[in-house]
Amino acid sequence: MNFIPERQIRAVYDEQTIRVYQAYGDEIADAALRQGTFVSPPFKIDRMTWIKPSFLWMMYRAGWGKKDAGQARILAIDISREGFEWALRHSCPSHPDASMSKDEWLRVKEATPVRIQWDPERDLQLQPQTHRAIQIGLSKQAVELYVGQWIKRVTDITSEAHDIHALVLQGEFDAARSRLPLERPYCLEDVTG
C-alpha cells in the first residue's frame, strides 16, 4: 500500500477541471441540474457552502445520501482548476493554529472568503483513516465565483453512491472499491491549512 501524507488533496481531475462533491435536497439539486449551476433561491448564496474533493468523505457526511432529506442527492460538481486554486490561495484555516492569537485569526478570517478544514478521510465502511481529506468552505465573493464562473458541470451521482453502498452492505468490498472514483494526489505548492 502506498504511503499517504496526513494532509494531501486527492481528487478526480483533468487539465481543466477538478471534481468536488456536495449533497442537497431535491429542490436545490433539481434546480442545479437544470441550470448547470446552483440557483438562488433555492440555493442560499449568502451562506457558506462546503465543497469536498473526497467521494468517501462526502459519503460519510451525507450517509450515502440516506442521512436526511436535505442531503439525499449527491452531486458531483466539476469546477475549473483555476477557481479551485483561487479558493485555496484566498483561504485561512477554519480554526486558529497554535502560532496565532484568537484576535489575529479573527482578522484573517474576516478578510478571507474561504475556510480550509482537514478532517479524517474515510474508508468504505466510513471509518476514520490516519490521513485527512480537505473540506473547503466558500463564503462571500468565493460563493459568487463558484456559482457564476467556476462550475462547469453538475452531475447527479446519487444512484452510483447507492450502488456502491449496497455492495458495502453485502460485504462485496472489492467490487465496491472498483466502483469508487479514481482520486489522485492534486499537486499544489502552497495549500493553506
Side-chain angles (χ1 to χ4, degrees):
M1 181 173 227
N2 292 338
F3 171 76
I4 300 174
E6 182 185 12
R7 292 184 178 188
Q8 178 188 67
I9 298 171
R10 291 170 304 283
V12 172
Y13 62 93
D14 60 25
E15 289 182 11
Q16 285 81 41
T17 63
I18 181 168
R19 177 162 287 178
V20 296
Y21 301 96
Q22 292 190 279
Y24 286 106
D26 290 336
E27 186 180 19
I28 292 175
D30 288 340
L33 290 161
R34 274 194 308 274
Q35 296 298 315
T37 191
F38 292 102
V39 180
S40 181
F43 179 82
K44 293 183 172 84
I45 201 158
D46 56 338
R47 288 185 57 196
M48 180 170 281
T49 190
W50 289 86
I51 58 176
K52 303 147 187 76
S54 166
F55 175 82
L56 285 174
W57 206 93
M58 184 73 258
M59 296 308 100
Y60 165 71
R61 180 70 179 86
W64 296 96
K66 297 179 181 191
K67 186 175 184 178
D68 61 62
Q71 298 181 76
R73 301 280 291 284
I74 309 294
L75 302 178
I77 302 125
D78 296 319
I79 66 173
S80 71
R81 287 179 59 173
E82 180 181 343
F84 182 77
E85 293 177 14
W86 183 96
L88 295 177
R89 286 192 310 272
H90 293 84
S91 69
C92 75
S94 60
H95 299 50
D97 64 34
S99 68
M100 258 183 198
S101 74
K102 187 172 182 182
D103 286 342
E104 285 176 302
W105 178 74
L106 288 172
R107 280 193 297 278
V108 170
K109 181 178 142 186
E110 187 55 38
T112 57
V114 180
R115 304 289 169 271
I116 298 292
Q117 187 166 304
W118 293 92
D119 295 309
E121 181 61 280
R122 301 293 162 154
D123 66 11
L124 276 169
Q125 294 176 290
L126 306 183
Q127 295 304 304
Q129 303 298 291
T130 56
H131 55 282
R132 294 182 172 261
I134 193 170
Q135 323 308 317
I136 302 163
L138 307 175
S139 68
K140 305 174 189 172
Q141 176 191 13
V143 180
E144 293 172 12
L145 290 169
Y146 175 61
V147 169
Q149 296 179 23
W150 301 348
I151 295 176
K152 304 304 176 193
R153 183 173 42 256
V154 179
T155 308
D156 188 335
I157 61 162
T158 307
S159 63
E160 292 93 323
H162 290 174
D163 291 348
I164 294 169
H165 185 226
L167 291 168
V168 171
L169 291 175
Q170 295 163 18
E172 300 286 339
F173 299 112
D174 289 341
R177 201 169 288 108
S178 74
R179 301 275 305 270
L180 291 175
L182 179 59
E183 295 173 354
R184 302 175 288 137
Y186 188 88
C187 296
L188 187 69
E189 300 218 343
D190 55 352
V191 177
T192 301

